[in-house]
Every structure is written in structure tokens, then in C-alpha cells.
Amino acid sequence: MELRSVEELMDLLYACRGERAATEHGSGPGDLHGHALRTAALLRRRRPADKELQVAGLVSPVGRLLWPGDPAGRTADAVRPLLGARVARLLRRHTHPAAWTHDDDLVSLRQADEEARTAVFDAGVLEDWRTVLELTAARNSRLGAVD
């Protein structure tokens, strides 16, 4: 499956509502939708200029919804045509601890992901992220046309 539009991606992110955020110890403190919003919000606070990193945090639960047993690689493959190689790389390597040690982006993503499991704050709504997703997709589209 490849996501071809921001609208398709938004639909999947909305579908994450009510799906429990699984952790090594059972269920997380809320659904995948809320976890994604908190992760992206934390990344926005820490790295406000890095929209691709924020988007990677936002879209990471899509794979857990669609492919519960093997989410990371499939999520990366699904979003690459829409959001680009960097977002796909971050998603693919996010679940591999050996990759984190030499990559500040992956460390930031992992820290935000972990903190979002227990943090309690108003992370906004998904619609707040539509423009960022559209800009990331448009940028990737322009870059893809040049390649």
C-alpha cells in the first residue's frame, strides 16, 4: 500500500482514534491518535524548524493500525511516495536501537515517542497538522520531479 494523498493519510490518522497504543508492558496511556499528536507536538517544541521529523512522529502509528506485526518497514514504504525519503528513513530506523546512537534525529524521535506515552498535555487536533503534511508532500513532489 502506498499513500498518495494527504487526505488518505489524514483518514488513516483519524482511524487511529480509539486504537490502543501498545507498549512492551501492555497498553499505553491512550490511543494511537493521541500518542501521535503528543509525539509530533513534543518534536515541534524541541525542533521547530524540522517539519520532516515532526511529521515522522505524527505518522508513525499508521503502521501499527494497518500492520500490527511489522509496522516500521511497511509504514516507511507506505509514506515514502508522499512524504519523502527522509521521513521514510526515520520511520524505518526508529525501531532499531542500534541506529539511534549516531543519529540525533532518531534520538529525538525516540525520546519524544517515549515521553508521549506518559505526558499529559493538550497536543491540539489533527487538523492543526494538515498544512505541515501538505507542505511536506508538496516539497517531496517538487524534489521527486527533479530526480
Side-chain angles (χ1 to χ4, degrees):
M1 170 185 203
E2 288 184 1
L3 295 170
R4 301 244 177 230
S5 71
V6 170
E7 201 58 44
E8 285 179 5
L9 180 56
M10 293 287 288
D11 288 346
L12 283 172
L13 288 166
Y14 276 119
C16 290
R17 284 184 180 168
E19 294 293 322
R20 298 300 293 171
T23 66
E24 300 82 31
H25 309 292
S27 293
D31 62 16
L32 292 174
H33 180 84
H35 181 258
L37 289 173
R38 288 189 303 275
T39 301
L42 289 166
L43 289 165
R44 179 182 273 172
R45 290 177 186 171
R46 293 177 187 153
R47 307 263 298 270
D50 195 342
K51 302 304 182 205
E52 290 176 332
L53 181 62
Q54 296 165 24
V55 164
L58 181 68
V59 303
S60 64
V62 169
R64 286 178 272 191
L65 179 68
L66 297 174
W67 306 285
D70 179 30
R74 288 185 169 182
T75 305
D77 293 341
V79 302
R80 184 185 176 110
L82 181 63
L83 301 175
R86 180 167 180 244
V87 173
R89 181 187 62 81
L90 288 167
L91 290 171
R92 184 175 312 282
R93 298 181 73 205
H94 174 58
T95 58
H96 300 290
W100 306 337
T101 57
H102 302 294
D103 191 323
D104 290 340
D105 295 340
L106 289 172
V107 169
S108 293
L109 181 57
R110 185 62 178 181
Q111 287 173 343
D113 179 59
E114 289 296 321
E115 187 176 336
R117 294 181 197 283
T118 57
V120 178
F121 64 93
D122 182 2
V125 296
L126 184 57
E127 282 301 317
D128 295 342
W129 290 94
R130 183 181 294 275
T131 302
V132 176
L133 290 168
E134 289 171 345
L135 290 170
T136 303
R139 182 176 181 271
N140 180 59
S141 176
R142 284 194 310 274
L143 292 175
V146 174
D147 288 345

